[in-house]
Amino acid sequence: STSVQIEHVTKRFGNTTAVNDVSLNIKSGEFMSLLGPSGCGKTTLLSMILGILDVTDGEISFNATRVDDIPMHKRDVGMVFQNYALFPHMSIRNNVGFGLDMRKVPKKEREKRVEDALSLVQLETLAERYPKQLSGGQQQRVALARALVVRPKVLLLDEPLSNLDAKLRKEMRIQLKRLHQDLGITTIYVTHDQEEALSLSTQVAVMSQGVVQQIGTPQEIFLHP
Ligand code: ADP
Ligand code: ADP
């Protein structure tokens, strides 16, 4: 697995400082939540870790190697967005296989890995359907399978449960926790929901207005604040 170092990272958009001198050390296998209200800089920080947004200042490293020095295809980062972002014209099987097609994984191995990823999220029976034929919770599980199929070393989740109803949110929380326990992937989870952060994380970073105010285990943050 992979550790993630965020050192004195700042991101400015014109006059707005979205992320202000944030340092975080995320150990291998950790489930780290970035918890804070809308606009506090969570998505901006995640986008810089994913590598789709440049830092204004500071450094982000995986296993102590600066991400700038790691070629994109070797970064092994999986990402799940709030709105799933599935391809509507592709079957569930092909949505999940997309990242493997991009990496030119041979057909036989592709089939096996797609099957494995679908079974991790318990969607084997829906492989031939299309996204709009699935419920929101099922679509979110497809997005998760699509991120996991490339066997990422780091998994980034941006409010992945926020579009689900309360019952599904709870179910998915249990699934996410089980997956993390089984696979041990270093996970960074963006949420504004204290209960989610409390139930899922091994570490919580509480953010406000672009800065990390507090870091600790859920117990340290919520029981002895
Ligand atoms: P969160 O994910 O916690 O809701 P964001 O990271 O989306 O917060 O946003 C943090 C701040 O940066 C907000 O003030 C937001 O308006 C601003 N911001 C985010 N992205 C951009 C952008 N591309 N251009 C300008 N301002 C942005
Ligand atoms: P979030 O769900 O994290 O709060 P937002 O709805 O704030 O996300 O932002 C959605 C998208 O719009 C993001 O890609 C973000 O970078 C961009 N964005 C946010 N605020 C601004 C802004 N003030 N100017 C330009 N782009 C922005």
Side-chain angles (χ1 to χ4, degrees):
S1 202
T2 299
S3 62
V4 179
Q5 295 80 40
I6 297 162
E7 291 170 287
H8 297 293
V9 166
T10 292
K11 180 68 191 184
R12 278 187 285 273
F13 296 106
N15 292 328
T16 306
T17 303
V19 171
N20 191 358
D21 194 22
V22 163
S23 294
L24 279 176
N25 199 350
I26 304 164
K27 294 200 189 93
S28 178
E30 199 105 75
F31 194 120
M32 165 79 77
S33 285
L34 306 178
L35 173 69
S38 180
C40 75
K42 304 181 298 292
T43 299
T44 301
L45 187 54
L46 210 63
S47 303
M48 292 187 286
I49 299 168
L50 182 62
I52 58 172
L53 189 66
D54 289 332
V55 302
T56 305
D57 237 315
E59 269 181 21
I60 297 175
S61 308
F62 292 169
N63 287 336
T65 303
R66 293 178 37 163
V67 287
D68 294 346
D69 298 332
I70 309 172
M72 211 43 163
H73 68 283
K74 288 197 173 163
R75 285 185 199 174
D76 291 333
V77 183
M79 172 86 195
V80 177
F81 297 95
Q82 183 174 355
N83 56 5
Y84 327 137
L86 301 180
F87 305 115
H89 59 289
M90 283 188 197
S91 68
I92 299 311
R93 182 185 305 288
N94 287 337
N95 262 280
V96 173
F98 183 76
L100 301 178
D101 299 338
M102 299 301 286
R103 289 170 172 78
K104 307 218 185 307
V105 172
K107 186 161 176 284
K108 226 172 157 163
E109 192 188 338
R110 175 195 195 270
E111 275 172 23
K112 178 171 186 328
R113 283 172 66 172
V114 168
E115 231 24 70
D116 287 350
L118 284 171
S119 98
L120 275 175
V121 298
Q122 293 152 29
L123 281 178
E124 306 94 310
T125 57
L126 301 181
E128 302 316 321
R129 301 229 186 145
Y130 284 79
K132 68 173 188 296
Q133 300 174 293
L134 269 56
S135 71
Q138 289 168 337
Q139 290 186 40
Q140 192 52 285
R141 274 144 66 194
V142 176
L144 193 58
R146 192 176 59 180
L148 291 171
V149 80
V150 299
R151 296 180 184 156
K153 302 273 171 34
V154 178
L155 184 60
L156 306 179
L157 304 167
D158 191 355
E159 304 252 8
L161 310 187
S162 60
N163 287 338
L164 308 179
D165 65 40
K167 182 163 171 286
L168 265 174
R169 259 204 314 274
K170 207 163 171 189
E171 258 176 56
M172 281 298 293
R173 244 172 26 210
I174 293 164
Q175 287 218 14
L176 275 177
K177 191 158 187 163
R178 179 180 59 80
L179 272 175
H180 180 253
Q181 283 164 352
D182 289 353
L183 305 175
I185 303 172
T186 309
T187 303
I188 306 174
Y189 187 93
V190 159
T191 184
H192 62 267
D193 185 322
Q194 286 204 9
E195 210 182 308
E196 274 179 22
L198 172 66
S199 65
L200 284 167
S201 322
T202 57
Q203 288 278 307
V204 180
V206 181
M207 291 185 68
S208 170
Q209 299 184 354
V211 304
V212 170
Q213 289 189 315
Q214 208 184 349
I215 306 176
T217 63
Q219 289 74 11
E220 287 165 349
I221 302 280
F222 297 112
L223 301 179
H224 311 286

